[in-house]
Amino acid sequence: MGKLTTHVLDTAHGCPGAGIRIELYALGGEARRALKTVVTNHDGRCDAPLLEGEAFTNGEYELVFHAGDYFARAGVALPEPRFVDRVVLRFGIADCAAHYHVPLLVSPWAYSTYRGS
């Protein structure tokens, strides 16, 4: 059975992104429906899949990572406005029987993502 997972790596400090707020939305046309809000654990991961079972369906989704707040709490000197603040990743689920892992690698100045396993 398929599922959606994520994790965050702080590439500026070389450690997991612990304590980062993540919001998950389902997208449909112009509509955006909130599904879940979680906070990453000490390993930069969520304690459970973001979606699985009957809740995991084909469609378009959005993850919003509150990275700027994380770096501010870590004592990083950030400009105002922050260069990287909320990282918004929009992606599609085409096969609800597969595992979609959407990690975030982030610093105060850059981020990247990929479909992991």
Side-chain angles (χ1 to χ4, degrees):
M1 190 166 298
K3 62 184 174 182
L4 172 64
T5 58
T6 189
H7 77 274
V8 183
L9 296 174
D10 174 346
T11 58
H13 297 102
C15 63
I20 296 178
R21 179 180 171 186
I22 303 170
E23 299 164 345
L24 172 65
Y25 297 89
L27 305 176
E30 296 298 313
R32 184 177 182 241
R33 183 172 46 96
L35 298 178
K36 185 178 279 190
T37 299
V38 297
V39 175
T40 57
N41 62 22
H42 70 282
D43 198 30
R45 299 180 181 275
C46 301
D47 292 328
L50 296 171
L51 291 174
E52 63 182 334
E54 292 181 13
F56 187 63
T57 60
N58 292 0
E60 293 183 85
Y61 294 88
E62 183 177 276
L63 286 168
V64 180
F65 298 84
H66 291 254
D69 293 343
Y70 162 79
F71 287 113
R73 282 192 313 276
V76 176
L78 301 171
E80 189 57 46
R82 298 168 179 167
F83 184 73
V84 171
D85 190 19
R86 290 185 181 145
V87 177
V88 179
L89 302 179
R90 288 189 174 198
F91 58 96
I93 303 285
D95 179 5
C96 60
H99 179 188
Y100 282 73
H101 184 65
V102 184
L104 177 69
L105 288 71
V106 66
S107 82
W109 308 107
Y111 64 87
S112 66
T113 191
Y114 56 93
R115 180 174 173 196
S117 58

